[in-house]
Amino acid sequence: MAASGGGNGVVVVFDFDKTIIDCDSDNWVVDALGATARFDDLLRRLPWNSAIDAMMGELHAEGRTVEEVAASLRAAPLSPRVAAAVETARALGCELRVLSDANAFFVGAVLDHHGLAGCFSAVDTNPAAVDADGRLRILPYHGLPGHGCPLATCPPNMCKGKVMERIIDELSCGCGGAPAARRRRVVYVGDGRGDYCPSLKLTEMDYVMPRKGYPVWDLIAGGDRAAVRADVREWADFEDLEAVLLGIVAECLTSEHDDADDDGGEAAPPAECRALPATLASGQEAILPKAVHVPN
């Protein structure tokens, strides 16, 4: 993973399944290895995280290898628009992170295959490791006694809201652990039920990008809109994701420059702004959509 730094003052946190890749990675692997019915049976008896670990055990017992698992993941759909968004955001100085209820092996296999692993400073996900027998073990992010979050949208193995609180605490500290003069903005991109809790942890200075028509969008649109303090920017497909995300980055860079002007600075526009494509730097509304406010 890439080293983190101050960058341009923007930290983009991505969900993985149905956000970076256009599928659920657990289901993708299970389907590719011909174990769909058995996984469905496990899910009737076990929580999801325990079921996928047990499924890896069954596949290992019948002779399927970790390399076969990795090979199936290399075929998982990842849009060129997502890769472009990740690479451009990083080139513009954003710190990028992954916050996912998948697992470290699955996420790593995909990002490594597409050459994107070095773009991310951290990956918070369920731990995974290959044991001495060659069997892939997948463990819960939050072990016993659990995370204690009261929201029903958080699965027992991981509360992304707790992780987001830690990330925000880290961003609120400067060098040596002292309070930072100004916390960096967070942009959170996700689609699922588990992405609702971290969205609630963001403040008015942050952004949340829910995938329209997916559970987190439904929860934001159908719930207490005031509970989500961040600026809500929807996306429907991966062209949207790229345009909306880079539009937010451009707005943040412009805002930072305007703040510097208000402080009496005479500096030229930051290098990141000058590096933006002309369509982004121009502020055209088709490329830089204004806030999309979710109806009550």
Side-chain angles (χ1 to χ4, degrees):
M1 296 297 156
S4 62
N8 63 10
V10 180
V11 180
V12 185
V13 183
F14 291 88
D15 178 34
F16 182 70
D17 292 331
K18 301 181 183 177
T19 298
I20 290 179
I21 58 174
D22 196 18
C23 66
D24 177 278
S25 56
D26 290 346
N27 284 326
W28 180 269
V29 169
V30 168
D31 293 348
L33 298 183
T36 305
R38 282 183 290 161
F39 187 51
D40 289 344
D41 182 60
L42 286 170
L43 286 173
R44 295 185 188 99
R45 299 181 279 112
L46 296 170
W48 189 286
N49 182 255
S50 300
I52 192 63
D53 177 60
M55 189 73 258
M56 293 301 103
E58 290 190 13
L59 290 169
H60 176 261
E62 67 184 35
R64 308 307 288 266
T65 66
V66 170
E67 174 52 34
E68 288 179 275
V69 174
S72 71
L73 288 160
R74 290 193 287 270
L78 189 152
S79 169
R81 302 273 47 88
V82 172
V86 167
E87 291 169 342
T88 303
R90 183 179 183 237
L92 292 172
C94 298
E95 179 184 351
L96 309 181
R97 305 176 67 127
V98 173
L99 175 51
S100 169
D101 192 20
N103 66 79
F105 185 90
F106 288 12
V107 173
V110 171
L111 296 183
D112 286 342
H113 175 65
H114 291 277
L116 298 175
C119 294
F120 294 90
S121 65
V123 174
D124 287 291
T125 189
N126 296 299
V130 181
D131 68 16
D133 296 325
R135 182 245 208 255
L136 179 61
R137 297 306 310 259
I138 299 170
L139 303 174
Y141 185 91
H142 289 116
L144 294 174
H147 49 68
C149 179
L151 284 186
T153 54
C154 292
N157 61 289
M158 187 180 205
C159 170
K160 291 186 178 183
K162 298 283 187 183
V163 183
M164 182 60 75
E165 287 179 332
R166 173 178 57 77
I167 291 171
I168 290 174
D169 285 345
E170 292 172 0
L171 298 178
S172 299
C173 293
C175 297
R182 184 173 185 179
R183 171 171 78 75
R184 286 180 283 164
R185 299 175 189 268
V186 174
V187 183
Y188 187 68
V189 191
D191 72 283
R193 283 169 54 83
D195 297 314
Y196 183 62
C197 190
S199 300
L200 298 177
K201 308 302 180 182
L202 304 176
T203 70
E204 291 83 355
M205 70 183 295
D206 303 311
Y207 298 81
V208 59
M209 289 178 53
R211 189 171 186 180
K212 190 172 183 180
Y214 283 71
V216 70
W217 166 262
D218 294 337
L219 287 163
I220 292 172
D224 178 5
R225 181 61 187 85
V228 179
R229 294 173 291 166
D231 194 344
V232 178
R233 306 289 180 96
E234 68 185 65
W235 61 283
D237 57 30
F238 296 110
E239 289 187 3
D240 278 351
L241 186 154
E242 180 186 27
V244 175
L245 175 59
L246 297 183
I248 290 170
V249 173
E251 288 181 16
C252 291
L253 294 174
T254 301
S255 175
E256 291 293 324
H257 181 238
D258 290 346
D259 288 346
D261 285 347
D262 291 342
D263 291 338
E266 298 295 331
E272 294 88 348
C273 277
R274 297 198 299 273
L276 281 170
T279 51
L280 285 175
S282 69
Q284 295 177 14
E285 287 192 3
I287 301 298
L288 296 179
K290 298 301 181 183
V292 177
H293 295 290
V294 183
N296 293 325

